[in-house]
Amino acid sequence: MKSNRVPSADLSAQIAANIRDAIVSGALIVDERLPSEAELSLKFEVSRATVREALKRLAAQSLIRTQRGATGGAFVNRISFEAAQAQQITTSTLLLSMNDVSFETACEARYALERACAPLSSDRRKSNHINVMRDEINVQREVGLSDEAFCASDVAFHRALVDGAGNPVLSYQLAGAVEAMQPLMNMITFTARSRDAIIALHVTIADAIEAQDGAAASAGLTALEAETQALARRVFAQRSGNSAQV
Amino acid sequence: MKSNRVPSADLSAQIAANIRDAIVSGALIVDERLPSEAELSLKFEVSRATVREALKRLAAQSLIRTQRGATGGAFVNRISFEAAQAQQITTSTLLLSMNDVSFETACEARYALERACAPLSSDRRKSNHINVMRDEINVQREVGLSDEAFCASDVAFHRALVDGAGNPVLSYQLAGAVEAMQPLMNMITFTARSRDAIIALHVTIADAIEAQDGAAASAGLTALEAETQALARRVFAQRSGNSAQV
DNA sequence: TGGATTTCATATGTCTTACATTTAATATTT
DNA sequence: AAATATTAAATGTAAGACATATGAAATCCA
């Protein structure tokens, strides 16, 4: 099972790929200890510095963790939903900002995904999900709330909606979409009037989720998407140059 | 703007976090060249080896790329949808396999997300998307096709469906969910009979997408989910020990 | 005997120096 | 003027040394 990697890549990249394959294939299992850096440098016939660079690559992907000391070493890490989410949010955020993804496209994707959760969340949401949604609505009603804080509360509201589905895989997938949009949302100025419209729809959605009416929740999300898109168009049109970017 | 990072972490991790923040915040823009390793080691007052470990961490996340030679160095990388997808698939696959995510949960998430694409794909799909779906259905009809090949074709079919929505953000998000399930799907033995049922539903879905009937496409996906869940239950129940895992 | 302390071995974290290799720009030669 | 050779700058790799953390074993002291 020798590496059939492109030999053009760096040695540290090749070694990282080799170990990564072993983890993905199951040859290395969770919490298993990798050979020490010295042993790996012998095995791969490279210096310890190169081995370390490979291990840092894997650590950056949360595939391994390292421990110092006598019984230390590198261990296969059990990727947590939290760690995976954090990475996905970083990646998604950069993806949107670096590739000139339009607000419209990102917004459409976000609400499409959220609608996917609405029926499940309607079925299974617990009281705590409802409570979070109600609480966040109250936060959003506060006068003098900054646009950033309003957006943060918006994210919290929608995360509660998604989490209500009780499916960690869904929550993980959605976190990237919802949170990655926050920088774009933060570019928007929310007038009191636009906030009122959003809050009213949040109430509609929360009511529907509480009443376990998935169709109504989906409809509320659709209306919220339309409202958000319209608001964004107004804001971006007002921006002096009216350049069509973003 | 000095680093307010936990000082307990490795120097290379701190430096990586510092540079990552600069990229995420926009202080470093795409294609901008970072200082050379020698300069960074002066700036952060660490050795070049430590700087290199930090840079390898960033390279593992596709945040930078490096180039050798006179005008070489580390450059801020424009994260491509492809690279982001590849990373997300690796992460999602490990997440499912390491956290004892049930087939049921993963399957539910996958089809919920796909249903989110169905209306959009119905509206916007091009002829090439339809063609791919039809072609893959024909592949799935081949006798003697291995279970792995059947699953791979299944993934291709569903990717065409998702891509039909014409929203790269959606495609990116969905790729993780769909492809991460492949190892789980590969555990299933597809009898000729179960394949026929799946193919029939694929035809239904392709017809609906072609006819631009989003509701029918969603219904087809719901039926396919039910069929897949039932098949999985049968397969896992048959497995000797009948242990309830997976 | 038993608990506290010391020692020790092992592993990662960091630094230093050196050299190899790649690459573009410059200088030289024909 | 074009082809070739040189050079400088940067990353890639190696080797060795030391710092530091940590668990376990050995030792010491009531």
Side-chain angles (χ1 to χ4, degrees):
Chain A
M1 198 210 274
K2 280 304 162 192
S3 67
N4 47 0
R5 292 276 156 187
V6 283
S8 62
D10 295 346
L11 285 178
S12 69
Q14 291 177 46
I15 292 168
N18 191 308
I19 299 175
R20 178 163 38 239
D21 287 348
I23 295 175
V24 172
S25 73
L28 289 170
I29 61 173
V30 166
D31 291 336
E32 185 170 343
R33 204 202 116 173
L34 274 63
S36 70
E37 294 174 355
E39 290 171 307
L40 287 172
S41 72
L42 285 176
K43 171 176 173 184
F44 290 108
E45 297 178 301
V46 297
S47 71
R48 208 188 129 208
T50 301
V51 167
R52 281 182 61 80
E53 288 179 8
L55 294 180
K56 294 315 167 200
R57 295 178 114 109
L58 300 175
Q61 296 181 295
S62 304
L63 295 183
I64 62 169
R65 63 179 184 278
T66 54
Q67 223 175 2
R68 298 178 70 171
T71 60
F75 298 82
V76 178
N77 205 25
R78 179 187 302 278
I79 296 186
S80 67
F81 280 95
E82 289 79 13
Q85 268 182 8
Q87 284 181 226
Q88 212 215 331
I89 290 167
T90 300
T91 302
S92 297
T93 302
L94 284 171
L95 197 61
L96 295 192
S97 68
M98 286 178 171
N99 288 278
D100 299 321
V101 172
S102 70
F103 185 91
E104 190 183 355
T105 300
C107 193
E108 174 182 283
R110 173 189 160 167
Y111 282 102
L113 295 173
E114 275 194 48
R115 275 194 298 271
C117 297
L120 295 171
S121 191
S122 290
D123 277 0
R124 306 189 194 143
R125 86 291 180 284
K126 305 291 183 190
S127 59
N128 58 314
H129 301 123
I130 303 289
N131 291 339
V132 170
M133 294 169 78
R134 301 290 185 198
D135 289 347
E136 294 299 337
I137 288 174
N138 282 331
V139 169
Q140 292 155 25
R141 282 184 176 131
E142 288 173 13
V143 290
L145 197 68
S146 70
D147 284 339
E148 285 72 18
F150 185 81
C151 287
S153 173
D154 183 72
V155 167
F157 175 90
H158 288 280
R159 286 202 65 153
L161 190 163
V162 170
D163 289 340
N167 186 316
V169 178
L170 264 184
S171 292
Y172 153 67
Q173 296 280 351
L174 270 286
V178 175
E179 301 221 2
M181 274 210 60
Q182 212 174 355
L184 287 175
M185 293 294 292
N186 279 337
M187 297 175 61
I188 295 183
T189 311
F190 294 93
T191 62
R193 187 166 180 173
S194 63
R195 286 191 189 184
D196 287 343
I198 291 172
I199 291 169
L201 286 167
H202 281 176
V203 171
T204 301
I205 293 165
D207 288 347
I209 296 286
E210 184 164 20
Q212 305 201 294
D213 185 343
S218 288
L221 285 166
T222 300
L224 183 54
E225 179 185 355
E227 179 67 29
T228 305
Q229 297 273 20
L231 170 60
R233 275 193 296 275
R234 284 199 301 274
V235 169
F236 291 131
Q238 263 185 359
R239 294 280 161 80
S240 56
N242 78 9
S243 62
Q245 70 185 5
V246 178
Chain B
M1 200 208 274
K2 284 301 165 193
S3 65
N4 46 1
R5 293 274 157 190
V6 283
S8 62
D10 295 344
L11 284 178
S12 69
Q14 291 177 45
I15 293 168
N18 192 308
I19 299 174
R20 179 161 40 240
D21 287 348
I23 295 174
V24 172
S25 72
L28 289 170
I29 62 174
V30 166
D31 291 336
E32 186 170 341
R33 198 195 144 212
L34 274 62
S36 71
E37 295 174 354
E39 290 170 307
L40 287 173
S41 71
L42 284 177
K43 172 178 172 182
F44 290 107
E45 297 178 301
V46 298
S47 72
R48 208 187 129 209
T50 301
V51 167
R52 280 182 62 79
E53 289 179 6
L55 293 179
K56 295 314 169 199
R57 295 177 115 109
L58 299 175
Q61 296 180 296
S62 304
L63 294 184
I64 62 169
R65 62 180 185 278
T66 55
Q67 225 175 3
R68 296 177 70 171
T71 60
F75 298 82
V76 176
N77 205 24
R78 180 187 302 278
I79 295 185
S80 67
F81 281 96
E82 290 78 13
Q85 267 181 10
Q87 284 182 230
Q88 213 215 328
I89 289 167
T90 300
T91 302
S92 296
T93 303
L94 284 171
L95 197 60
L96 294 192
S97 69
M98 285 178 171
N99 288 278
D100 300 319
V101 172
S102 71
F103 185 90
E104 190 183 355
T105 300
C107 193
E108 174 182 282
R110 171 188 161 168
Y111 282 101
L113 294 173
E114 275 195 49
R115 275 193 298 273
C117 298
L120 295 171
S121 192
S122 291
D123 276 359
R124 306 188 194 145
R125 86 289 180 285
K126 305 290 183 191
S127 57
N128 60 314
H129 301 123
I130 303 289
N131 291 339
V132 170
M133 294 169 78
R134 301 291 185 198
D135 289 348
E136 294 299 338
I137 287 174
N138 283 329
V139 169
Q140 291 156 24
R141 283 184 174 129
E142 288 173 15
V143 291
L145 196 69
S146 72
D147 284 338
E148 284 73 17
F150 185 82
C151 287
S153 173
D154 183 72
V155 168
F157 175 90
H158 287 280
R159 286 200 66 150
L161 191 162
V162 170
D163 289 340
N167 187 315
V169 178
L170 263 183
S171 293
Y172 153 69
Q173 295 282 348
L174 270 286
V178 174
E179 301 221 5
M181 275 209 60
Q182 212 173 355
L184 286 175
M185 293 294 293
N186 280 337
M187 297 176 62
I188 295 183
T189 311
F190 294 93
T191 63
R193 185 166 183 174
S194 63
R195 286 190 190 187
D196 287 343
I198 290 171
I199 291 167
L201 287 169
H202 281 176
V203 171
T204 301
I205 292 165
D207 288 346
I209 296 285
E210 185 164 20
Q212 306 201 293
D213 185 344
S218 287
L221 285 166
T222 299
L224 184 54
E225 179 185 355
E227 179 67 31
T228 305
Q229 296 274 21
L231 171 60
R233 276 193 296 272
R234 285 200 300 274
V235 169
F236 291 130
Q238 264 183 359
R239 293 278 162 80
S240 56
N242 80 7
S243 62
Q245 72 185 6
V246 179

mmCIF file of all heavy atoms in Angstrom, chain B residues 143-184:
data_model
loop_
_atom_site.group_PDB
_atom_site.id
_atom_site.type_symbol
_atom_site.label_atom_id
_atom_site.label_comp_id
_atom_site.label_asym_id
_atom_site.label_seq_id
_atom_site.Cartn_x
_atom_site.Cartn_y
_atom_site.Cartn_z
ATOM 1 N N VAL B 143 -26.488 -4.670 -15.675
ATOM 2 C CA VAL B 143 -26.413 -5.873 -14.843
ATOM 3 C C VAL B 143 -24.947 -6.139 -14.522
ATOM 4 O O VAL B 143 -24.055 -5.817 -15.299
ATOM 5 C CB VAL B 143 -27.017 -7.096 -15.578
ATOM 6 C CG1 VAL B 143 -28.516 -6.927 -15.724
ATOM 7 C CG2 VAL B 143 -26.358 -7.303 -16.920
ATOM 8 N N GLY B 144 -24.712 -6.700 -13.362
ATOM 9 C CA GLY B 144 -23.343 -6.996 -12.971
ATOM 10 C C GLY B 144 -22.611 -5.797 -12.408
ATOM 11 O O GLY B 144 -21.419 -5.874 -12.106
ATOM 12 N N LEU B 145 -23.322 -4.688 -12.266
ATOM 13 C CA LEU B 145 -22.702 -3.493 -11.693
ATOM 14 C C LEU B 145 -22.438 -3.726 -10.199
ATOM 15 O O LEU B 145 -23.313 -4.205 -9.475
ATOM 16 C CB LEU B 145 -23.650 -2.299 -11.890
ATOM 17 C CG LEU B 145 -23.068 -0.905 -11.706
ATOM 18 C CD1 LEU B 145 -22.093 -0.585 -12.826
ATOM 19 C CD2 LEU B 145 -24.182 0.126 -11.658
ATOM 20 N N SER B 146 -21.243 -3.384 -9.767
ATOM 21 C CA SER B 146 -20.921 -3.589 -8.350
ATOM 22 C C SER B 146 -21.704 -2.612 -7.478
ATOM 23 O O SER B 146 -22.170 -1.573 -7.955
ATOM 24 C CB SER B 146 -19.424 -3.392 -8.119
ATOM 25 O OG SER B 146 -19.092 -2.028 -8.230
ATOM 26 N N ASP B 147 -21.837 -2.959 -6.225
ATOM 27 C CA ASP B 147 -22.541 -2.068 -5.305
ATOM 28 C C ASP B 147 -21.850 -0.714 -5.230
ATOM 29 O O ASP B 147 -22.501 0.330 -5.170
ATOM 30 C CB ASP B 147 -22.621 -2.699 -3.906
ATOM 31 C CG ASP B 147 -23.666 -3.802 -3.854
ATOM 32 O OD1 ASP B 147 -24.581 -3.796 -4.697
ATOM 33 O OD2 ASP B 147 -23.568 -4.666 -2.970
ATOM 34 N N GLU B 148 -20.513 -0.734 -5.235
ATOM 35 C CA GLU B 148 -19.768 0.526 -5.169
ATOM 36 C C GLU B 148 -20.063 1.381 -6.402
ATOM 37 O O GLU B 148 -20.285 2.590 -6.303
ATOM 38 C CB GLU B 148 -18.261 0.262 -5.066
ATOM 39 C CG GLU B 148 -17.806 -0.191 -3.683
ATOM 40 C CD GLU B 148 -18.225 -1.623 -3.391
ATOM 41 O OE1 GLU B 148 -18.555 -2.343 -4.360
ATOM 42 O OE2 GLU B 148 -18.253 -2.020 -2.212
ATOM 43 N N ALA B 149 -20.050 0.758 -7.572
ATOM 44 C CA ALA B 149 -20.308 1.513 -8.799
ATOM 45 C C ALA B 149 -21.741 2.038 -8.801
ATOM 46 O O ALA B 149 -22.004 3.160 -9.263
ATOM 47 C CB ALA B 149 -20.056 0.640 -10.028
ATOM 48 N N PHE B 150 -22.652 1.238 -8.274
ATOM 49 C CA PHE B 150 -24.046 1.685 -8.193
ATOM 50 C C PHE B 150 -24.150 2.922 -7.300
ATOM 51 O O PHE B 150 -24.811 3.904 -7.655
ATOM 52 C CB PHE B 150 -24.923 0.548 -7.652
ATOM 53 C CG PHE B 150 -26.384 0.862 -7.634
ATOM 54 C CD1 PHE B 150 -27.153 0.734 -8.785
ATOM 55 C CD2 PHE B 150 -26.994 1.282 -6.469
ATOM 56 C CE1 PHE B 150 -28.507 1.029 -8.771
ATOM 57 C CE2 PHE B 150 -28.352 1.580 -6.445
ATOM 58 C CZ PHE B 150 -29.110 1.445 -7.605
ATOM 59 N N CYS B 151 -23.457 2.870 -6.174
ATOM 60 C CA CYS B 151 -23.474 4.012 -5.262
ATOM 61 C C CYS B 151 -22.838 5.234 -5.902
ATOM 62 O O CYS B 151 -23.335 6.356 -5.756
ATOM 63 C CB CYS B 151 -22.732 3.676 -3.972
ATOM 64 S SG CYS B 151 -23.617 2.558 -2.892
ATOM 65 N N ALA B 152 -21.734 5.032 -6.600
ATOM 66 C CA ALA B 152 -21.059 6.166 -7.240
ATOM 67 C C ALA B 152 -21.972 6.814 -8.262
ATOM 68 O O ALA B 152 -22.048 8.049 -8.376
ATOM 69 C CB ALA B 152 -19.762 5.702 -7.889
ATOM 70 N N SER B 153 -22.695 5.989 -9.011
ATOM 71 C CA SER B 153 -23.626 6.522 -9.988
ATOM 72 C C SER B 153 -24.764 7.258 -9.295
ATOM 73 O O SER B 153 -25.233 8.296 -9.777
ATOM 74 C CB SER B 153 -24.170 5.386 -10.855
ATOM 75 O OG SER B 153 -25.192 5.874 -11.703
ATOM 76 N N ASP B 154 -25.172 6.716 -8.160
ATOM 77 C CA ASP B 154 -26.216 7.370 -7.373
ATOM 78 C C ASP B 154 -25.778 8.767 -6.963
ATOM 79 O O ASP B 154 -26.532 9.736 -7.092
ATOM 80 C CB ASP B 154 -26.527 6.515 -6.140
ATOM 81 C CG ASP B 154 -27.649 7.098 -5.312
ATOM 82 O OD1 ASP B 154 -28.805 7.027 -5.759
ATOM 83 O OD2 ASP B 154 -27.368 7.635 -4.219
ATOM 84 N N VAL B 155 -24.543 8.864 -6.503
ATOM 85 C CA VAL B 155 -24.014 10.170 -6.108
ATOM 86 C C VAL B 155 -24.003 11.114 -7.304
ATOM 87 O O VAL B 155 -24.396 12.282 -7.202
ATOM 88 C CB VAL B 155 -22.599 10.021 -5.512
ATOM 89 C CG1 VAL B 155 -21.930 11.387 -5.383
ATOM 90 C CG2 VAL B 155 -22.660 9.340 -4.153
ATOM 91 N N ALA B 156 -23.563 10.619 -8.454
ATOM 92 C CA ALA B 156 -23.504 11.466 -9.651
ATOM 93 C C ALA B 156 -24.896 11.951 -10.035
ATOM 94 O O ALA B 156 -25.084 13.116 -10.421
ATOM 95 C CB ALA B 156 -22.862 10.698 -10.800
ATOM 96 N N PHE B 157 -25.876 11.062 -9.923
ATOM 97 C CA PHE B 157 -27.256 11.437 -10.225
ATOM 98 C C PHE B 157 -27.708 12.591 -9.328
ATOM 99 O O PHE B 157 -28.247 13.597 -9.810
ATOM 100 C CB PHE B 157 -28.166 10.213 -10.019
ATOM 101 C CG PHE B 157 -29.628 10.502 -10.188
ATOM 102 C CD1 PHE B 157 -30.246 10.385 -11.426
ATOM 103 C CD2 PHE B 157 -30.398 10.875 -9.100
ATOM 104 C CE1 PHE B 157 -31.597 10.653 -11.577
ATOM 105 C CE2 PHE B 157 -31.752 11.147 -9.240
ATOM 106 C CZ PHE B 157 -32.354 11.028 -10.485
ATOM 107 N N HIS B 158 -27.457 12.440 -8.055
ATOM 108 C CA HIS B 158 -27.947 13.444 -7.123
ATOM 109 C C HIS B 158 -27.163 14.751 -7.230
ATOM 110 O O HIS B 158 -27.712 15.830 -7.018
ATOM 111 C CB HIS B 158 -27.925 12.891 -5.702
ATOM 112 C CG HIS B 158 -28.998 11.876 -5.474
ATOM 113 N ND1 HIS B 158 -30.292 12.225 -5.212
ATOM 114 C CD2 HIS B 158 -28.979 10.527 -5.525
ATOM 115 C CE1 HIS B 158 -31.033 11.127 -5.082
ATOM 116 N NE2 HIS B 158 -30.249 10.080 -5.275
ATOM 117 N N ARG B 159 -25.891 14.640 -7.593
ATOM 118 C CA ARG B 159 -25.132 15.870 -7.784
ATOM 119 C C ARG B 159 -25.665 16.649 -8.977
ATOM 120 O O ARG B 159 -25.729 17.886 -8.957
ATOM 121 C CB ARG B 159 -23.646 15.568 -7.970
ATOM 122 C CG ARG B 159 -22.987 15.182 -6.666
ATOM 123 C CD ARG B 159 -21.490 15.359 -6.734
ATOM 124 N NE ARG B 159 -21.115 16.752 -6.884
ATOM 125 C CZ ARG B 159 -19.996 17.260 -6.431
ATOM 126 N NH1 ARG B 159 -19.130 16.486 -5.794
ATOM 127 N NH2 ARG B 159 -19.705 18.529 -6.611
ATOM 128 N N ALA B 160 -26.054 15.955 -10.001
ATOM 129 C CA ALA B 160 -26.627 16.639 -11.158
ATOM 130 C C ALA B 160 -27.910 17.349 -10.750
ATOM 131 O O ALA B 160 -28.169 18.485 -11.156
ATOM 132 C CB ALA B 160 -26.898 15.638 -12.277
ATOM 133 N N LEU B 161 -28.694 16.678 -9.920
ATOM 134 C CA LEU B 161 -29.931 17.293 -9.438
ATOM 135 C C LEU B 161 -29.624 18.581 -8.687
ATOM 136 O O LEU B 161 -30.235 19.632 -8.928
ATOM 137 C CB LEU B 161 -30.654 16.298 -8.519
ATOM 138 C CG LEU B 161 -32.085 16.603 -8.081
ATOM 139 C CD1 LEU B 161 -32.735 15.316 -7.565
ATOM 140 C CD2 LEU B 161 -32.156 17.650 -6.992
ATOM 141 N N VAL B 162 -28.658 18.490 -7.792
ATOM 142 C CA VAL B 162 -28.307 19.647 -6.970
ATOM 143 C C VAL B 162 -27.712 20.756 -7.830
ATOM 144 O O VAL B 162 -28.063 21.935 -7.690
ATOM 145 C CB VAL B 162 -27.329 19.229 -5.863
ATOM 146 C CG1 VAL B 162 -26.774 20.450 -5.148
ATOM 147 C CG2 VAL B 162 -28.013 18.286 -4.883
ATOM 148 N N ASP B 163 -26.818 20.371 -8.739
ATOM 149 C CA ASP B 163 -26.186 21.384 -9.590
ATOM 150 C C ASP B 163 -27.202 22.084 -10.475
ATOM 151 O O ASP B 163 -26.993 23.224 -10.895
ATOM 152 C CB ASP B 163 -25.096 20.736 -10.450
ATOM 153 C CG ASP B 163 -23.877 20.335 -9.627
ATOM 154 O OD1 ASP B 163 -23.712 20.880 -8.517
ATOM 155 O OD2 ASP B 163 -23.106 19.485 -10.093
ATOM 156 N N GLY B 164 -28.287 21.400 -10.753
ATOM 157 C CA GLY B 164 -29.328 21.989 -11.574
ATOM 158 C C GLY B 164 -29.901 23.257 -10.986
ATOM 159 O O GLY B 164 -30.444 24.097 -11.708
ATOM 160 N N ALA B 165 -29.777 23.423 -9.674
ATOM 161 C CA ALA B 165 -30.290 24.634 -9.039
ATOM 162 C C ALA B 165 -29.466 25.848 -9.434
ATOM 163 O O ALA B 165 -29.901 26.988 -9.236
ATOM 164 C CB ALA B 165 -30.298 24.475 -7.516
ATOM 165 N N GLY B 166 -28.282 25.628 -9.971
ATOM 166 C CA GLY B 166 -27.487 26.739 -10.461
ATOM 167 C C GLY B 166 -26.997 27.657 -9.366
ATOM 168 O O GLY B 166 -26.691 28.819 -9.609
ATOM 169 N N ASN B 167 -26.926 27.136 -8.167
ATOM 170 C CA ASN B 167 -26.455 27.944 -7.037
ATOM 171 C C ASN B 167 -25.202 27.273 -6.479
ATOM 172 O O ASN B 167 -25.292 26.250 -5.803
ATOM 173 C CB ASN B 167 -27.550 28.032 -5.970
ATOM 174 C CG ASN B 167 -27.178 28.987 -4.846
ATOM 175 O OD1 ASN B 167 -26.062 28.961 -4.349
ATOM 176 N ND2 ASN B 167 -28.120 29.823 -4.456
ATOM 177 N N PRO B 168 -24.032 27.854 -6.733
ATOM 178 C CA PRO B 168 -22.794 27.178 -6.314
ATOM 179 C C PRO B 168 -22.698 26.997 -4.806
ATOM 180 O O PRO B 168 -22.077 26.040 -4.338
ATOM 181 C CB PRO B 168 -21.686 28.096 -6.841
ATOM 182 C CG PRO B 168 -22.338 29.407 -7.099
ATOM 183 C CD PRO B 168 -23.760 29.093 -7.453
ATOM 184 N N VAL B 169 -23.310 27.890 -4.060
ATOM 185 C CA VAL B 169 -23.259 27.757 -2.607
ATOM 186 C C VAL B 169 -24.045 26.517 -2.188
ATOM 187 O O VAL B 169 -23.604 25.741 -1.333
ATOM 188 C CB VAL B 169 -23.807 29.015 -1.908
ATOM 189 C CG1 VAL B 169 -23.803 28.846 -0.405
ATOM 190 C CG2 VAL B 169 -22.986 30.239 -2.312
ATOM 191 N N LEU B 170 -25.189 26.324 -2.798
ATOM 192 C CA LEU B 170 -25.977 25.129 -2.508
ATOM 193 C C LEU B 170 -25.203 23.878 -2.909
ATOM 194 O O LEU B 170 -25.130 22.902 -2.154
ATOM 195 C CB LEU B 170 -27.297 25.173 -3.276
ATOM 196 C CG LEU B 170 -28.528 25.675 -2.544
ATOM 197 C CD1 LEU B 170 -29.739 25.561 -3.451
ATOM 198 C CD2 LEU B 170 -28.755 24.893 -1.266
ATOM 199 N N SER B 171 -24.636 23.888 -4.081
ATOM 200 C CA SER B 171 -23.891 22.718 -4.554
ATOM 201 C C SER B 171 -22.767 22.374 -3.595
ATOM 202 O O SER B 171 -22.529 21.209 -3.267
ATOM 203 C CB SER B 171 -23.314 22.975 -5.944
ATOM 204 O OG SER B 171 -24.356 23.090 -6.887
ATOM 205 N N TYR B 172 -22.088 23.414 -3.137
ATOM 206 C CA TYR B 172 -20.976 23.205 -2.216
ATOM 207 C C TYR B 172 -21.465 22.604 -0.907
ATOM 208 O O TYR B 172 -20.899 21.640 -0.388
ATOM 209 C CB TYR B 172 -20.258 24.535 -1.991
ATOM 210 C CG TYR B 172 -19.564 24.672 -0.684
ATOM 211 C CD1 TYR B 172 -18.435 23.910 -0.398
ATOM 212 C CD2 TYR B 172 -20.015 25.563 0.285
ATOM 213 C CE1 TYR B 172 -17.778 24.045 0.818
ATOM 214 C CE2 TYR B 172 -19.371 25.706 1.493
ATOM 215 C CZ TYR B 172 -18.259 24.941 1.754
ATOM 216 O OH TYR B 172 -17.626 25.066 2.949
ATOM 217 N N GLN B 173 -22.522 23.147 -0.379
ATOM 218 C CA GLN B 173 -23.031 22.645 0.893
ATOM 219 C C GLN B 173 -23.524 21.211 0.767
ATOM 220 O O GLN B 173 -23.322 20.384 1.638
ATOM 221 C CB GLN B 173 -24.190 23.525 1.384
ATOM 222 C CG GLN B 173 -23.800 24.942 1.721
ATOM 223 C CD GLN B 173 -23.109 25.054 3.070
ATOM 224 O OE1 GLN B 173 -23.099 24.128 3.847
ATOM 225 N NE2 GLN B 173 -22.497 26.205 3.316
ATOM 226 N N LEU B 174 -24.167 20.934 -0.322
ATOM 227 C CA LEU B 174 -24.767 19.612 -0.497
ATOM 228 C C LEU B 174 -23.742 18.533 -0.772
ATOM 229 O O LEU B 174 -23.940 17.359 -0.430
ATOM 230 C CB LEU B 174 -25.782 19.658 -1.634
ATOM 231 C CG LEU B 174 -27.193 20.007 -1.259
ATOM 232 C CD1 LEU B 174 -27.852 18.826 -0.563
ATOM 233 C CD2 LEU B 174 -27.252 21.214 -0.332
ATOM 234 N N ALA B 175 -22.648 18.919 -1.421
ATOM 235 C CA ALA B 175 -21.640 17.918 -1.760
ATOM 236 C C ALA B 175 -21.172 17.184 -0.515
ATOM 237 O O ALA B 175 -21.022 15.955 -0.518
ATOM 238 C CB ALA B 175 -20.450 18.589 -2.450
ATOM 239 N N GLY B 176 -20.986 17.919 0.543
ATOM 240 C CA GLY B 176 -20.551 17.290 1.784
ATOM 241 C C GLY B 176 -21.550 16.268 2.270
ATOM 242 O O GLY B 176 -21.201 15.144 2.624
ATOM 243 N N ALA B 177 -22.813 16.662 2.255
ATOM 244 C CA ALA B 177 -23.842 15.773 2.783
ATOM 245 C C ALA B 177 -23.991 14.522 1.922
ATOM 246 O O ALA B 177 -24.102 13.403 2.432
ATOM 247 C CB ALA B 177 -25.178 16.521 2.858
ATOM 248 N N VAL B 178 -23.981 14.703 0.624
ATOM 249 C CA VAL B 178 -24.226 13.572 -0.268
ATOM 250 C C VAL B 178 -23.016 12.636 -0.309
ATOM 251 O O VAL B 178 -23.150 11.425 -0.132
ATOM 252 C CB VAL B 178 -24.561 14.074 -1.695
ATOM 253 C CG1 VAL B 178 -24.670 12.898 -2.645
ATOM 254 C CG2 VAL B 178 -25.868 14.851 -1.677
ATOM 255 N N GLU B 179 -21.841 13.208 -0.493
ATOM 256 C CA GLU B 179 -20.672 12.356 -0.642
ATOM 257 C C GLU B 179 -20.233 11.726 0.667
ATOM 258 O O GLU B 179 -19.685 10.616 0.670
ATOM 259 C CB GLU B 179 -19.526 13.157 -1.257
ATOM 260 C CG GLU B 179 -19.912 13.703 -2.611
ATOM 261 C CD GLU B 179 -18.778 13.604 -3.623
ATOM 262 O OE1 GLU B 179 -17.736 13.034 -3.291
ATOM 263 O OE2 GLU B 179 -18.972 14.105 -4.733
ATOM 264 N N ALA B 180 -20.460 12.430 1.754
ATOM 265 C CA ALA B 180 -20.058 11.865 3.041
ATOM 266 C C ALA B 180 -20.845 10.602 3.350
ATOM 267 O O ALA B 180 -20.417 9.759 4.126
ATOM 268 C CB ALA B 180 -20.250 12.897 4.157
ATOM 269 N N MET B 181 -22.011 10.486 2.736
ATOM 270 C CA MET B 181 -22.827 9.295 3.003
ATOM 271 C C MET B 181 -22.366 8.085 2.212
ATOM 272 O O MET B 181 -22.822 6.965 2.480
ATOM 273 C CB MET B 181 -24.282 9.595 2.668
ATOM 274 C CG MET B 181 -25.016 10.244 3.807
ATOM 275 S SD MET B 181 -26.738 9.798 3.713
ATOM 276 C CE MET B 181 -26.676 8.029 3.833
ATOM 277 N N GLN B 182 -21.501 8.288 1.242
ATOM 278 C CA GLN B 182 -21.162 7.164 0.380
ATOM 279 C C GLN B 182 -20.571 5.970 1.135
ATOM 280 O O GLN B 182 -20.963 4.822 0.869
ATOM 281 C CB GLN B 182 -20.216 7.618 -0.735
ATOM 282 C CG GLN B 182 -20.457 6.826 -1.996
ATOM 283 C CD GLN B 182 -19.675 7.343 -3.191
ATOM 284 O OE1 GLN B 182 -19.009 8.357 -3.115
ATOM 285 N NE2 GLN B 182 -19.756 6.610 -4.278
ATOM 286 N N PRO B 183 -19.651 6.197 2.080
ATOM 287 C CA PRO B 183 -19.158 5.031 2.819
ATOM 288 C C PRO B 183 -20.271 4.261 3.508
ATOM 289 O O PRO B 183 -20.257 3.027 3.548
ATOM 290 C CB PRO B 183 -18.196 5.649 3.829
ATOM 291 C CG PRO B 183 -17.746 6.914 3.205
ATOM 292 C CD PRO B 183 -18.935 7.420 2.435
ATOM 293 N N LEU B 184 -21.265 4.989 4.028
ATOM 294 C CA LEU B 184 -22.386 4.299 4.667
ATOM 295 C C LEU B 184 -23.205 3.540 3.631
ATOM 296 O O LEU B 184 -23.621 2.395 3.846
ATOM 297 C CB LEU B 184 -23.278 5.309 5.399
ATOM 298 C CG LEU B 184 -22.726 5.879 6.709
ATOM 299 C CD1 LEU B 184 -23.642 6.958 7.257
ATOM 300 C CD2 LEU B 184 -22.538 4.775 7.732
#
